[in-house]
Amino acid sequence: KEVLNKNKISIIIFLSSTLISFILGELYFYSTRGIDYGKYQTYLRYFQGITESTGQGQGILYYYLIAFISDIRLSLLNNINLSSFLSSNIQILNMLLYLFGLRGFYIILKNYRFSTSVILYSFSFLNFFPPAFEMRLLMKPEIAAFAFLPWLVLLVDKLFQKFDYKYLALASVTASIIFTLKGSILGMVSLFLFIKYIKKIYLNRRRLIIFITVFVIIFFSIYIENFNVNQ
């Protein structure tokens, strides 16, 4: 009973902190005034049909999702609220990606036998941790890397536990999405995966070759699409 009460309290605190942090961002911060918005708004212009290419060098998935949400909420747009409309769409997508990432990290931490209450208290702190809070406010693809990274770790762990082509395909797609988001993300995540799995890679070289082959095919398929859009 005591454990159940602790879990209930931690759930309430987590949900409250998540909602409050989201509302604060919506009310007091315009994502369209963020440091990189002026540079990357060309992606939104492309998906709106205004330009024929972005002229940038990042992956298009994150920006496509913003444009997709904007299209869904188009009825809310008028002549005077364009900036707040786009800002809201960016923060809604970032929140959805953030929650998707938290779900993955929750599973990982449960696998390491952390209690539910400890995990949720940690996530409640993370909701207001400045770098994480900033990540949810700005139009930058790092939030997408945060969202997909724990799922990639879970899929790769499953592959090393039991080789399955379903997990192989999902891990390859997830890795390709992360690695095509941005060059710096590719470098950091690659280094992290190498350090984490270096011993397992040495013991499973045949599986590694199969994974790399499938990954390269999917990666370059996404890369070519990005290249065509970015020119």
Side-chain angles (χ1 to χ4, degrees):
K1 187 175 181 180
E2 184 179 350
V3 173
L4 288 175
N5 289 333
K6 284 184 179 179
N7 288 345
K8 288 180 181 178
I9 294 172
S10 63
I11 290 171
I12 292 171
I13 291 175
F14 168 69
L15 293 177
S16 300
S17 64
T18 302
L19 180 61
I20 291 171
S21 62
F22 176 71
I23 292 174
L24 287 174
E26 281 271 30
L27 289 177
Y28 296 108
F29 187 85
Y30 276 96
S31 298
T32 51
R33 296 179 184 175
I35 187 170
D36 291 322
Y37 178 79
K39 180 179 179 181
Y40 297 130
Q41 65 176 323
T42 55
Y43 285 97
L44 302 184
R45 293 178 181 273
Y46 171 82
F47 288 115
Q48 292 167 349
I50 299 174
T51 60
E52 294 184 358
S53 68
T54 68
Q56 300 294 335
Q58 296 186 4
I60 63 173
L61 177 63
Y62 171 71
Y63 304 100
Y64 168 76
L65 292 174
I66 295 174
F68 179 73
I69 289 180
S70 298
D71 188 56
I72 291 175
R73 306 179 73 219
L74 196 59
S75 60
L76 301 176
L77 178 64
N78 57 49
N79 293 330
I80 60 174
N81 73 340
L82 176 60
S83 182
S84 59
F85 173 75
L86 291 174
S87 176
S88 179
N89 295 335
I90 292 167
Q91 292 190 37
I92 287 173
L93 173 64
N94 286 354
M95 174 57 76
L96 293 174
L97 290 171
Y98 177 72
L99 293 175
F100 183 67
L102 287 187
R103 176 59 179 167
F105 282 114
Y106 176 84
I107 296 173
I108 289 176
L109 292 172
K110 288 298 287 185
N111 289 343
Y112 283 109
R113 299 187 178 181
F114 283 90
S115 68
T116 298
S117 60
V118 168
I119 295 172
L120 293 181
Y121 285 135
S122 299
F123 287 172
S124 299
F125 168 78
L126 187 66
N127 285 336
F128 291 100
F129 185 57
F133 191 45
E134 180 187 43
M135 181 174 64
R136 289 159 44 197
L137 298 176
L138 300 178
M139 188 175 76
K140 297 183 72 172
E142 280 78 0
I143 188 70
F146 174 88
F148 287 103
L149 180 58
W151 298 100
L152 176 59
V153 170
L154 288 168
L155 288 166
V156 173
D157 284 345
K158 285 184 177 293
L159 270 176
F160 281 119
Q161 292 169 7
K162 181 182 179 181
F163 192 79
D164 188 306
Y165 283 99
K166 176 180 68 176
Y167 295 133
L168 175 65
L170 289 173
S172 299
V173 170
T174 305
S176 298
I177 289 173
I178 294 174
F179 289 165
T180 54
L181 287 171
K182 192 176 180 180
S184 59
I185 293 174
L186 185 153
M188 289 185 288
V189 174
S190 297
L191 180 61
F192 162 73
L193 294 175
F194 177 76
I195 293 172
K196 180 174 174 57
Y197 295 109
I198 182 171
K199 292 183 179 180
K200 293 183 179 179
I201 288 172
Y202 179 76
L203 296 174
N204 296 274
R205 281 175 286 185
R206 179 177 172 275
R207 293 182 182 181
L208 178 65
I209 293 172
I210 296 173
F211 175 77
I212 290 176
T213 302
V214 175
F215 163 73
V216 166
I217 293 171
I218 297 174
F219 175 85
F220 277 103
S221 298
I222 297 176
Y223 179 83
I224 290 170
E225 177 64 19
N226 290 338
F227 183 84
N228 290 335
V229 170
N230 291 324
Q231 292 295 309

